Amino acid sequence: MSEKKPSVLEGFKAFLMRGNVVDLAVAVVIGAAFTNIVNSVVKGIINPLVGTIAVVYFLMVLPMSKYLARMEARRKAKEGTHEIIEVTELEVLKEIRDALVAQRGSGHDGR
């Protein structure tokens, strides 16, 4: 009746050799390596790209669009004042023409 008790070392070895534990260990190692790869890609490519886009937008695109909007508003304001002046000049010229026609009498055909 000498049954041999499994030693602690043999029991631990049997536990480790089960499929689930080995798969879990491999998954942890692969996950750690993949985390480093993802962090390197994000720090090396994605962050500089996003930073460049924000810098270009805020330092070049946004000020240029505001500048162009201001220039367009000034141009419209100038065109608006010119139209008003042209309309008033035209009205004044019509009044002068009418006054000259009235001075010459009804013999003029109104050209």
Side-chain angles (χ1 to χ4, degrees), residues 41-56:
V41 169
V42 168
K43 287 179 185 175
I45 296 173
I46 295 175
N47 283 346
L49 185 64
V50 170
T52 303
I53 291 171
V55 167
V56 167

Side-chain angles (χ1 to χ4, degrees), residues 20-70:
N20 296 340
V21 175
V22 174
D23 292 342
L24 181 62
V26 170
V28 167
V29 170
I30 290 174
F34 191 69
T35 299
N36 289 335
I37 292 171
V38 169
N39 286 338
S40 296
V41 169
V42 168
K43 287 179 185 175
I45 296 173
I46 295 175
N47 283 346
L49 185 64
V50 170
T52 303
I53 291 171
V55 167
V56 167
Y57 178 75
F58 286 114
L59 292 182
M60 296 179 86
V61 174
L62 190 62
M64 190 61 160
S65 64
K66 286 184 179 181
Y67 172 75
L68 291 175
R70 266 191 242 128

Side-chain angles (χ1 to χ4, degrees), residues 89-107:
E89 287 177 0
L90 184 62
E91 289 175 359
V92 169
L93 289 174
K94 284 181 183 178
E95 289 176 7
I96 292 172
R97 182 199 64 198
D98 293 342
L100 287 174
V101 168
Q103 283 180 357
R104 288 187 185 166
S106 60

